[in-house]
Amino acid sequence: MHALYRPVAMMMEQVAAEIMLPRFRRLSASEIAEKTPGDFVTIVDRESEDFLSAALARLLPEARVVGEEAAAADPTILDGLHEGVAWVIDPLDGTMNFAEGKHPFAIMIALIADGETQAGWILDPIDGRICHAAIGGGAFVDGERVHTEPTAGPRPIGAIATYFLPPERQAEIERRCEGRIDLVAIPRCAGEQYPRLVLGQNDLTLFERSWPWDHLPGALFLEEAGGRIARPDGTPYRVAMPGKGLLATASPRLWDDAAEILFG
């Protein structure tokens, strides 16, 4: 477990208790805005990021802080993210769920150094579950070490985010999966999707977009638990290696099987 595990976890718990949960199912229309079509932000996203940015800067002054909302306002802050030490923050993952008064949603933080994720944290504010991983140090849920457990059904269970795909690509994926992968609804929250892969609820998931705040914490958590995540062509997911799409699975063997089915 990473040396900063508890201080970061406490910050996240404070945000959940003081900023997030008091506004859950109490947002007014004026507290929700659309950044781009289909991509929403709330006052909770902004206040959570402000709090965490300041607290993380105090905790590790030599590190940059890159938050999702700050990057939305100024994309240049992502420049050079693969160099030096940086915190990457998703202040409210699953914003649409939160705005609709639905669970799940999450707070996610990653610590990176020279483009390699060193540690990641995912907090579910509703049940208090913290998923954590440290590079080379394993994956943990509420302090207990965990390992991936693929489902035991006749076919792998896939939660595939197709709503950012053109209709013809959606249809192709459904055709390829028919009789080979059982498709289930996605949680619309990467901070929930990655734990489902580790905890035996899903076997695979396919993401179209791969923003660092959405995936760095979960990718490390999955890999440290024994799963695999990579680009569709098999290249690793790294900050310094741009690309599109991610396939994440509960085991390396499942990755190979799923890649053959989905990309053939």
Side-chain angles (χ1 to χ4, degrees):
M1 191 171 290
H2 197 273
L4 295 175
Y5 165 72
R6 193 60 200 150
V8 176
M10 290 176 65
M11 292 176 195
M12 299 167 81
E13 290 166 344
Q14 186 174 354
V15 166
E18 298 179 7
I19 295 174
M20 198 165 286
L21 294 181
R23 286 197 173 97
F24 184 46
R25 296 176 177 158
R26 295 182 178 89
L27 287 177
S28 66
S30 64
E31 293 174 324
I32 306 170
E34 195 172 22
K35 293 186 288 188
T36 59
D39 189 10
F40 289 83
V41 63
T42 72
I43 189 173
V44 173
D45 295 77
R46 294 191 170 111
E47 290 188 2
S48 172
E49 183 165 308
D50 288 346
F51 180 97
L52 291 169
S53 296
L56 292 169
R58 290 192 298 269
L59 181 64
L60 205 63
E62 66 270 28
R64 296 170 56 188
V65 180
V66 176
E68 177 182 3
E69 304 313 324
D74 178 11
T76 64
I77 71 170
L78 290 169
D79 295 345
L81 187 57
H82 61 287
E83 299 172 343
V85 182
W87 295 104
V88 179
I89 305 170
D90 191 334
L92 174 53
D93 184 58
T95 295
M96 180 57 71
N97 288 346
F98 186 89
E100 293 176 354
K102 299 175 182 176
H103 183 253
F105 49 91
I107 304 170
M108 299 199 292
I109 296 174
L111 177 64
I112 62 175
D114 295 327
E116 292 285 340
T117 308
Q118 304 300 304
W121 293 256
I122 304 172
L123 171 67
D124 182 328
I126 294 292
D127 64 18
R129 181 190 68 195
I130 295 183
C131 299
H132 171 65
I135 188 167
F140 303 83
V141 175
D142 295 333
E144 296 292 326
R145 190 158 187 172
V146 293
H147 302 276
T148 55
E149 296 181 11
T151 62
R155 290 179 295 274
I157 296 175
I160 296 180
T162 61
Y163 51 88
F164 290 115
L165 298 174
E168 62 272 14
R169 178 62 175 143
Q170 293 184 31
E172 180 188 2
I173 287 175
E174 291 170 3
R175 176 184 60 79
R176 285 175 172 268
C177 290
E178 188 172 358
R180 305 177 75 184
I181 295 173
D182 291 335
L183 297 178
V184 296
I186 62 169
R188 301 193 306 174
C189 173
E192 171 63 19
Q193 188 60 67
Y194 282 103
R196 289 185 182 187
L197 291 173
V198 172
L199 299 176
Q201 295 170 269
N202 297 162
D203 294 299
L204 65 102
T205 190
L206 181 66
F207 298 101
E208 177 71 1
R209 303 194 302 180
S210 54
W211 293 111
W213 41 81
D214 285 331
H215 297 287
L216 292 180
L220 181 65
F221 177 65
L222 175 65
E223 290 184 320
E224 286 292 329
R228 184 186 179 197
I229 184 169
R231 299 291 187 185
D233 64 0
T235 57
Y237 174 53
R238 297 289 185 269
V239 170
M241 299 171 65
K244 194 171 186 180
L246 288 171
L247 174 61
T249 63
S251 73
R253 179 178 176 179
L254 272 169
W255 198 98
D256 292 339
D257 293 343
E260 176 61 29
I261 293 170
L262 293 169
F263 314 126

